Short mmCIF file of all heavy atoms in Angstrom, two decimals:
data_model
loop_
_atom_site.label_atom_id
_atom_site.label_comp_id
_atom_site.label_asym_id
_atom_site.label_seq_id
_atom_site.Cartn_x
_atom_site.Cartn_y
_atom_site.Cartn_z
N ARG Y 388 -20.92 16.08 14.67
CA ARG Y 388 -22.14 16.42 13.94
C ARG Y 388 -22.61 15.25 13.07
O ARG Y 388 -23.61 15.36 12.38
CB ARG Y 388 -21.88 17.66 13.08
CG ARG Y 388 -21.46 18.85 13.93
CD ARG Y 388 -20.99 20.01 13.07
NE ARG Y 388 -22.05 20.57 12.28
CZ ARG Y 388 -21.85 21.61 11.46
NH1 ARG Y 388 -20.67 22.15 11.33
NH2 ARG Y 388 -22.87 22.09 10.76
N LEU Y 389 -21.91 14.13 13.08
CA LEU Y 389 -22.29 12.93 12.35
C LEU Y 389 -22.75 11.92 13.38
O LEU Y 389 -21.97 11.43 14.20
CB LEU Y 389 -21.13 12.40 11.52
CG LEU Y 389 -20.57 13.38 10.48
CD1 LEU Y 389 -19.29 12.82 9.86
CD2 LEU Y 389 -21.59 13.64 9.41
N ARG Y 390 -24.02 11.57 13.36
CA ARG Y 390 -24.65 10.82 14.42
C ARG Y 390 -24.13 9.39 14.55
O ARG Y 390 -23.75 8.77 13.56
CB ARG Y 390 -26.17 10.83 14.25
CG ARG Y 390 -26.79 12.19 14.32
CD ARG Y 390 -28.28 12.10 14.06
NE ARG Y 390 -28.90 13.42 14.08
CZ ARG Y 390 -30.17 13.66 13.84
NH1 ARG Y 390 -30.98 12.65 13.53
NH2 ARG Y 390 -30.65 14.89 13.88
N ASN Y 391 -24.22 8.85 15.77
CA ASN Y 391 -23.94 7.45 16.07
C ASN Y 391 -22.50 7.02 15.75
O ASN Y 391 -22.25 5.84 15.51
CB ASN Y 391 -24.91 6.52 15.35
CG ASN Y 391 -26.35 6.84 15.68
OD1 ASN Y 391 -26.66 7.13 16.83
ND2 ASN Y 391 -27.23 6.75 14.69
N SER Y 392 -21.58 7.97 15.69
CA SER Y 392 -20.20 7.61 15.29
C SER Y 392 -19.51 6.72 16.32
O SER Y 392 -18.76 5.82 15.95
CB SER Y 392 -19.41 8.90 15.08
OG SER Y 392 -19.92 9.61 13.99
N ARG Y 393 -19.78 6.95 17.60
CA ARG Y 393 -19.13 6.12 18.62
C ARG Y 393 -19.62 4.69 18.56
O ARG Y 393 -18.84 3.74 18.73
CB ARG Y 393 -19.41 6.73 20.01
CG ARG Y 393 -18.64 8.03 20.26
CD ARG Y 393 -18.96 8.60 21.64
NE ARG Y 393 -18.15 9.78 21.92
CZ ARG Y 393 -18.43 11.00 21.49
NH1 ARG Y 393 -19.51 11.20 20.73
NH2 ARG Y 393 -17.63 12.01 21.78
N VAL Y 394 -20.89 4.50 18.33
CA VAL Y 394 -21.42 3.15 18.16
C VAL Y 394 -20.80 2.47 16.95
O VAL Y 394 -20.44 1.30 16.98
CB VAL Y 394 -22.97 3.19 18.03
CG1 VAL Y 394 -23.52 1.81 17.73
CG2 VAL Y 394 -23.59 3.77 19.27
N LEU Y 395 -20.65 3.23 15.89
CA LEU Y 395 -20.05 2.71 14.66
C LEU Y 395 -18.59 2.27 14.89
O LEU Y 395 -18.15 1.24 14.39
CB LEU Y 395 -20.12 3.74 13.55
CG LEU Y 395 -19.81 3.26 12.14
CD1 LEU Y 395 -20.73 2.13 11.72
CD2 LEU Y 395 -19.90 4.43 11.15
N VAL Y 396 -17.84 3.05 15.68
CA VAL Y 396 -16.46 2.68 15.98
C VAL Y 396 -16.40 1.34 16.71
O VAL Y 396 -15.64 0.43 16.33
CB VAL Y 396 -15.78 3.79 16.81
CG1 VAL Y 396 -14.47 3.26 17.44
CG2 VAL Y 396 -15.50 5.03 15.98
N ALA Y 397 -17.21 1.20 17.74
CA ALA Y 397 -17.18 -0.02 18.58
C ALA Y 397 -17.61 -1.24 17.73
O ALA Y 397 -16.97 -2.28 17.78
CB ALA Y 397 -18.08 0.14 19.80
N ALA Y 398 -18.68 -1.07 16.97
CA ALA Y 398 -19.17 -2.20 16.17
C ALA Y 398 -18.18 -2.59 15.08
O ALA Y 398 -17.95 -3.81 14.84
CB ALA Y 398 -20.54 -1.82 15.54
N THR Y 399 -17.58 -1.62 14.43
CA THR Y 399 -16.63 -1.92 13.35
C THR Y 399 -15.37 -2.56 13.91
O THR Y 399 -14.89 -3.56 13.34
CB THR Y 399 -16.26 -0.60 12.62
OG1 THR Y 399 -17.43 0.02 12.09
CG2 THR Y 399 -15.32 -0.92 11.46
N ALA Y 400 -14.84 -2.04 14.99
CA ALA Y 400 -13.62 -2.62 15.58
C ALA Y 400 -13.85 -4.07 15.98
O ALA Y 400 -13.02 -4.95 15.72
CB ALA Y 400 -13.15 -1.80 16.77
N ALA Y 401 -14.99 -4.35 16.63
CA ALA Y 401 -15.27 -5.68 17.09
C ALA Y 401 -15.43 -6.65 15.88
O ALA Y 401 -14.94 -7.78 15.88
CB ALA Y 401 -16.54 -5.70 17.93
N THR Y 402 -16.15 -6.18 14.83
CA THR Y 402 -16.38 -7.00 13.67
C THR Y 402 -15.05 -7.32 12.96
O THR Y 402 -14.78 -8.50 12.57
CB THR Y 402 -17.35 -6.33 12.70
OG1 THR Y 402 -18.59 -6.07 13.37
CG2 THR Y 402 -17.60 -7.21 11.50
N LEU Y 403 -14.24 -6.30 12.73
CA LEU Y 403 -12.99 -6.53 12.01
C LEU Y 403 -12.02 -7.41 12.79
O LEU Y 403 -11.32 -8.24 12.21
CB LEU Y 403 -12.34 -5.19 11.70
CG LEU Y 403 -13.09 -4.30 10.69
CD1 LEU Y 403 -12.33 -2.99 10.47
CD2 LEU Y 403 -13.29 -5.01 9.36
N LEU Y 404 -11.98 -7.26 14.13
CA LEU Y 404 -11.13 -8.15 14.93
C LEU Y 404 -11.59 -9.59 14.86
O LEU Y 404 -10.78 -10.52 14.75
CB LEU Y 404 -11.12 -7.67 16.38
CG LEU Y 404 -10.14 -6.57 16.73
CD1 LEU Y 404 -10.32 -6.10 18.16
CD2 LEU Y 404 -8.69 -7.02 16.50
N LEU Y 405 -12.92 -9.78 14.87
CA LEU Y 405 -13.45 -11.14 14.74
C LEU Y 405 -13.07 -11.77 13.40
O LEU Y 405 -12.65 -12.92 13.31
CB LEU Y 405 -14.97 -11.10 14.92
CG LEU Y 405 -15.70 -12.46 14.80
CD1 LEU Y 405 -15.24 -13.38 15.93
CD2 LEU Y 405 -17.19 -12.27 14.85
N VAL Y 406 -13.21 -10.97 12.33
CA VAL Y 406 -12.81 -11.46 11.02
C VAL Y 406 -11.30 -11.79 10.96
O VAL Y 406 -10.89 -12.80 10.43
CB VAL Y 406 -13.18 -10.40 9.92
CG1 VAL Y 406 -12.56 -10.77 8.57
CG2 VAL Y 406 -14.68 -10.26 9.80
N ALA Y 407 -10.48 -10.90 11.53
CA ALA Y 407 -9.03 -11.08 11.50
C ALA Y 407 -8.61 -12.35 12.22
O ALA Y 407 -7.63 -13.00 11.83
CB ALA Y 407 -8.34 -9.87 12.12
N LEU Y 408 -9.32 -12.73 13.27
CA LEU Y 408 -8.93 -13.90 14.04
C LEU Y 408 -9.57 -15.18 13.53
O LEU Y 408 -9.00 -16.27 13.63
CB LEU Y 408 -9.30 -13.71 15.51
CG LEU Y 408 -8.55 -12.56 16.22
CD1 LEU Y 408 -9.09 -12.33 17.62
CD2 LEU Y 408 -7.04 -12.84 16.26
N ALA Y 409 -10.76 -15.07 12.93
CA ALA Y 409 -11.49 -16.26 12.54
C ALA Y 409 -11.19 -16.71 11.12
O ALA Y 409 -11.18 -17.93 10.83
CB ALA Y 409 -13.01 -16.01 12.69
N VAL Y 410 -10.92 -15.78 10.20
CA VAL Y 410 -10.80 -16.14 8.78
C VAL Y 410 -9.46 -16.80 8.43
O VAL Y 410 -9.45 -17.76 7.63
CB VAL Y 410 -11.05 -14.89 7.92
CG1 VAL Y 410 -10.68 -15.13 6.46
CG2 VAL Y 410 -12.51 -14.46 8.01
N PRO Y 411 -8.29 -16.35 8.95
CA PRO Y 411 -7.01 -16.92 8.49
C PRO Y 411 -6.91 -18.43 8.55
O PRO Y 411 -6.42 -19.06 7.59
CB PRO Y 411 -5.99 -16.22 9.39
CG PRO Y 411 -6.60 -14.92 9.70
CD PRO Y 411 -8.06 -15.20 9.84
N PRO Y 412 -7.32 -19.13 9.64
CA PRO Y 412 -7.20 -20.61 9.62
C PRO Y 412 -8.02 -21.23 8.50
O PRO Y 412 -7.63 -22.24 7.94
CB PRO Y 412 -7.74 -20.97 11.01
CG PRO Y 412 -7.58 -19.77 11.86
CD PRO Y 412 -7.83 -18.61 10.93
N ILE Y 413 -9.18 -20.64 8.20
CA ILE Y 413 -10.00 -21.17 7.09
C ILE Y 413 -9.34 -20.86 5.76
O ILE Y 413 -9.28 -21.72 4.87
CB ILE Y 413 -11.41 -20.55 7.16
CG1 ILE Y 413 -12.09 -20.86 8.48
CG2 ILE Y 413 -12.27 -21.01 5.98
CD1 ILE Y 413 -13.37 -20.10 8.72
N PHE Y 414 -8.84 -19.65 5.64
CA PHE Y 414 -8.24 -19.23 4.38
C PHE Y 414 -6.96 -20.00 4.07
O PHE Y 414 -6.65 -20.25 2.89
CB PHE Y 414 -7.94 -17.72 4.46
CG PHE Y 414 -7.53 -17.13 3.14
CD1 PHE Y 414 -8.46 -16.71 2.23
CD2 PHE Y 414 -6.17 -17.00 2.79
CE1 PHE Y 414 -8.12 -16.18 1.03
CE2 PHE Y 414 -5.81 -16.48 1.59
CZ PHE Y 414 -6.77 -16.07 0.71
N ALA Y 415 -6.19 -20.38 5.11
CA ALA Y 415 -4.94 -21.09 4.89
C ALA Y 415 -5.14 -22.38 4.11
O ALA Y 415 -4.25 -22.82 3.37
CB ALA Y 415 -4.26 -21.39 6.24
N LYS Y 416 -6.30 -22.99 4.22
CA LYS Y 416 -6.57 -24.25 3.53
C LYS Y 416 -6.79 -24.02 2.02
O LYS Y 416 -6.82 -24.99 1.25
CB LYS Y 416 -7.80 -24.92 4.13
CG LYS Y 416 -7.63 -25.25 5.59
CD LYS Y 416 -8.91 -25.81 6.19
CE LYS Y 416 -8.78 -26.10 7.67
NZ LYS Y 416 -10.05 -26.63 8.25
N LEU Y 417 -6.97 -22.76 1.62
CA LEU Y 417 -7.27 -22.47 0.20
C LEU Y 417 -6.04 -22.02 -0.57
O LEU Y 417 -6.15 -21.67 -1.74
CB LEU Y 417 -8.32 -21.37 0.16
CG LEU Y 417 -9.66 -21.64 0.82
CD1 LEU Y 417 -10.58 -20.43 0.74
CD2 LEU Y 417 -10.32 -22.87 0.21
N VAL Y 418 -4.84 -22.04 0.05
CA VAL Y 418 -3.62 -21.62 -0.62
C VAL Y 418 -2.78 -22.84 -0.93
O VAL Y 418 -2.12 -23.39 -0.05
CB VAL Y 418 -2.82 -20.64 0.25
CG1 VAL Y 418 -1.58 -20.15 -0.49
CG2 VAL Y 418 -3.69 -19.42 0.64
N PRO Y 419 -2.80 -23.35 -2.17
CA PRO Y 419 -2.13 -24.61 -2.52
C PRO Y 419 -0.63 -24.58 -2.21
O PRO Y 419 -0.08 -25.59 -1.74
CB PRO Y 419 -2.41 -24.78 -4.02
CG PRO Y 419 -3.62 -23.97 -4.24
CD PRO Y 419 -3.57 -22.82 -3.33
N SER Y 420 0.06 -23.48 -2.50
CA SER Y 420 1.50 -23.41 -2.29
C SER Y 420 1.83 -23.62 -0.81
O SER Y 420 2.74 -24.37 -0.47
CB SER Y 420 2.04 -22.07 -2.75
OG SER Y 420 1.71 -21.84 -4.09
N TYR Y 421 1.08 -22.98 0.05
CA TYR Y 421 1.30 -23.08 1.48
C TYR Y 421 1.04 -24.52 1.95
O TYR Y 421 1.82 -25.10 2.73
CB TYR Y 421 0.35 -22.11 2.20
CG TYR Y 421 0.35 -22.20 3.70
CD1 TYR Y 421 1.37 -21.60 4.45
CD2 TYR Y 421 -0.67 -22.87 4.38
CE1 TYR Y 421 1.36 -21.69 5.82
CE2 TYR Y 421 -0.67 -22.94 5.76
CZ TYR Y 421 0.33 -22.36 6.48
OH TYR Y 421 0.32 -22.44 7.86
N ALA Y 422 -0.05 -25.16 1.43
CA ALA Y 422 -0.40 -26.51 1.85
C ALA Y 422 0.66 -27.51 1.38
O ALA Y 422 1.06 -28.40 2.16
CB ALA Y 422 -1.77 -26.87 1.28
N LEU Y 423 1.12 -27.38 0.14
CA LEU Y 423 2.13 -28.33 -0.37
C LEU Y 423 3.45 -28.21 0.40
O LEU Y 423 4.10 -29.22 0.74
CB LEU Y 423 2.38 -28.07 -1.85
CG LEU Y 423 1.26 -28.47 -2.81
CD1 LEU Y 423 1.61 -28.06 -4.25
CD2 LEU Y 423 1.03 -29.99 -2.75
N ALA Y 424 3.87 -26.99 0.66
CA ALA Y 424 5.12 -26.76 1.40
C ALA Y 424 5.04 -27.34 2.80
O ALA Y 424 6.00 -27.92 3.32
CB ALA Y 424 5.46 -25.28 1.46
N LYS Y 425 3.87 -27.19 3.42
CA LYS Y 425 3.68 -27.71 4.78
C LYS Y 425 3.68 -29.24 4.78
O LYS Y 425 4.28 -29.88 5.66
CB LYS Y 425 2.36 -27.17 5.34
CG LYS Y 425 2.14 -27.48 6.82
CD LYS Y 425 0.84 -26.82 7.28
CE LYS Y 425 0.61 -27.12 8.77
NZ LYS Y 425 -0.63 -26.46 9.24
N GLN Y 426 3.04 -29.87 3.80
CA GLN Y 426 2.97 -31.35 3.74
C GLN Y 426 4.34 -31.95 3.49
O GLN Y 426 4.68 -33.00 4.06
CB GLN Y 426 2.03 -31.77 2.62
CG GLN Y 426 0.56 -31.45 2.81
CD GLN Y 426 -0.25 -31.79 1.60
OE1 GLN Y 426 -0.08 -32.84 0.99
NE2 GLN Y 426 -1.17 -30.92 1.23
N SER Y 427 5.15 -31.31 2.66
CA SER Y 427 6.41 -31.92 2.21
C SER Y 427 7.63 -31.44 2.97
O SER Y 427 8.75 -31.84 2.64
CB SER Y 427 6.61 -31.62 0.70
OG SER Y 427 6.72 -30.22 0.52
N ARG Y 428 7.45 -30.63 4.01
CA ARG Y 428 8.58 -30.00 4.68
C ARG Y 428 9.62 -31.01 5.15
O ARG Y 428 10.83 -30.77 5.01
CB ARG Y 428 8.04 -29.19 5.84
CG ARG Y 428 9.10 -28.35 6.55
CD ARG Y 428 8.47 -27.47 7.62
NE ARG Y 428 7.44 -26.63 7.06
CZ ARG Y 428 6.44 -26.09 7.77
NH1 ARG Y 428 6.35 -26.34 9.05
NH2 ARG Y 428 5.57 -25.32 7.17
N ALA Y 429 9.21 -32.13 5.67
CA ALA Y 429 10.17 -33.10 6.22
C ALA Y 429 11.02 -33.72 5.14
O ALA Y 429 12.14 -34.21 5.44
CB ALA Y 429 9.40 -34.20 6.96
N GLU Y 430 10.58 -33.73 3.88
CA GLU Y 430 11.32 -34.34 2.80
C GLU Y 430 12.23 -33.40 2.04
O GLU Y 430 13.05 -33.82 1.23
CB GLU Y 430 10.35 -34.98 1.79
CG GLU Y 430 9.49 -36.10 2.35
CD GLU Y 430 10.28 -37.37 2.54
OE1 GLU Y 430 11.38 -37.50 1.96
OE2 GLU Y 430 9.82 -38.25 3.30
N LEU Y 431 12.09 -32.11 2.30
CA LEU Y 431 12.85 -31.12 1.49
C LEU Y 431 14.26 -30.98 1.99
O LEU Y 431 14.56 -31.07 3.21
CB LEU Y 431 12.13 -29.75 1.57
CG LEU Y 431 10.71 -29.71 1.02
CD1 LEU Y 431 10.12 -28.34 1.20
CD2 LEU Y 431 10.68 -30.12 -0.46
N ARG Y 432 15.19 -30.76 1.05
CA ARG Y 432 16.62 -30.59 1.36
C ARG Y 432 17.12 -29.33 0.63
O ARG Y 432 16.66 -29.02 -0.49
CB ARG Y 432 17.43 -31.81 0.91
CG ARG Y 432 17.02 -33.10 1.59
CD ARG Y 432 17.37 -33.12 3.06
NE ARG Y 432 16.97 -34.37 3.68
CZ ARG Y 432 15.80 -34.60 4.29
NH1 ARG Y 432 14.90 -33.60 4.31
NH2 ARG Y 432 15.54 -35.75 4.84
N PRO Y 433 18.11 -28.61 1.22
CA PRO Y 433 18.55 -27.36 0.61
C PRO Y 433 19.07 -27.55 -0.83
O PRO Y 433 18.93 -26.64 -1.67
CB PRO Y 433 19.68 -26.91 1.53
CG PRO Y 433 19.35 -27.51 2.84
CD PRO Y 433 18.71 -28.84 2.55
#
Side-chain angles (χ1 to χ4, degrees):
R388 301 170 66 180
L389 300 172
R390 297 178 181 177
N391 303 322
S392 294
R393 289 179 175 82
V394 175
L395 191 58
V396 166
T399 303
T402 302
L403 293 179
L404 277 175
L405 180 62
V406 170
L408 295 174
V410 169
I413 300 171
F414 189 84
K416 300 176 183 179
L417 301 177
V418 182
S420 304
Y421 175 79
L423 289 175
K425 187 175 181 180
Q426 292 175 42
S427 62
R428 186 175 303 159
E430 297 286 342
L431 299 178
R432 300 291 180 268

